[in-house]
Amino acid sequence: RLNDTNDFPEFTGRICPALCEKACVLNLTDHAATTNRENECAITEAAWRENFITPQQYKRNGKTVAVVGAGPAGLVAANRLNKLGYKVTVFDKNEAAGGLLRYGIPNFKLNKAVIDRRINLLVEEGIEFKYNTPVNFEGDKVSEADVEKALGAKFDAVVISTGTPTARDLKIPGRELKGVHLALELLSQQNRVLAGMEFSKEERVTAKGKNVLVIGGGDTGSDCIGTSHRQGCKSVTQIEIMPKPVEGPED
């Protein structure tokens, strides 16, 4: 039942902000919501542990599909198309699959072995992954020739799931100064460092020994706080445009 509506509950069970829990009727009446996120994680981890999740082979329909982007959207599209019998090839500019799951979310929130376990299963089920392969379609209208040129092969259909790699910037005085970084510059590099990649001193984005200001109070801002502490920052200050949340009733 869980997999009928959720392709990868081992991901959402760890990183979903679980807004449904905040809006749960039980939470509104008794301040004790159903723990949907933890339930998802517990169910799917039990399934992995007890070998209910094993590679499946699907009858092929003779059609091929290219999926551009191996982030959450691309992985779901590839998984569902594969189950329908299409031969799926996934292209991604990065060195491994996962998109923001791998390069935007810190390891302390999502261990990358959890992603690798799922990708290995998708490969065993017939999905092909091509990494370090940037794909650029020029113009608004893309012809079959454009697709073949960009992907190096003919496909019956193309799914473009390139996500939102361009961050919303702040055009304010001082933005160009040294030491001002977008969140993903910090987060993605730190995840690559933990995966064994090396960066020069000039390239390294680190909070070690520094007083850090985080602009934004959402999940990404929280990830930056946690990463800064783990890198050994001197202090962290966070500012947020929204008003301070109303404190809940005492137990």
Side-chain angles (χ1 to χ4, degrees), residues 79-200:
N79 185 48
R80 296 191 181 187
L81 288 165
N82 189 55
K83 289 181 177 180
L84 291 172
Y86 295 92
K87 178 66 181 76
V88 180
T89 304
V90 181
F91 297 83
D92 197 89
K93 66 179 180 180
N94 294 312
E95 63 273 17
L100 284 182
L101 294 173
R102 186 177 298 275
Y103 298 110
I105 296 173
N107 285 16
F108 58 80
K109 287 178 70 173
L110 179 61
N111 189 307
K112 302 314 176 238
V114 175
I115 303 175
D116 294 335
R117 178 179 62 182
R118 176 61 72 169
I119 298 301
N120 291 337
L121 180 76
L122 297 180
V123 170
E124 290 184 69
E125 292 185 338
I127 299 175
E128 182 180 1
F129 288 86
K130 293 193 175 185
Y131 301 121
N132 296 309
T133 309
V135 176
N136 296 306
F137 295 121
E138 298 180 1
D140 296 329
K141 295 183 179 180
V142 181
S143 67
E144 289 185 20
D146 293 330
V147 171
E148 186 174 357
K149 179 181 178 182
L151 303 180
K154 289 185 177 181
F155 292 91
D156 294 299
V158 178
V159 177
I160 300 177
S161 50
T162 49
T164 54
T166 303
R168 186 178 65 177
D169 209 341
L170 280 178
K171 303 299 182 182
I172 56 176
R175 172 63 183 89
E176 74 288 349
L177 296 176
K178 183 179 179 182
V180 182
H181 301 281
L182 295 170
L184 281 181
E185 294 179 49
L186 169 72
L187 299 175
S188 63
Q189 189 186 87
Q190 178 66 10
N191 283 357
R192 285 185 164 94
V193 168
L194 294 175
M197 236 184 212
E198 295 184 359
F199 295 87
S200 67

Side-chain angles (χ1 to χ4, degrees), residues 27 31 243-251:
N27 184 55
H31 309 295
K244 181 179 179 180
V246 177
E247 295 184 4
E250 295 181 1
D251 293 335

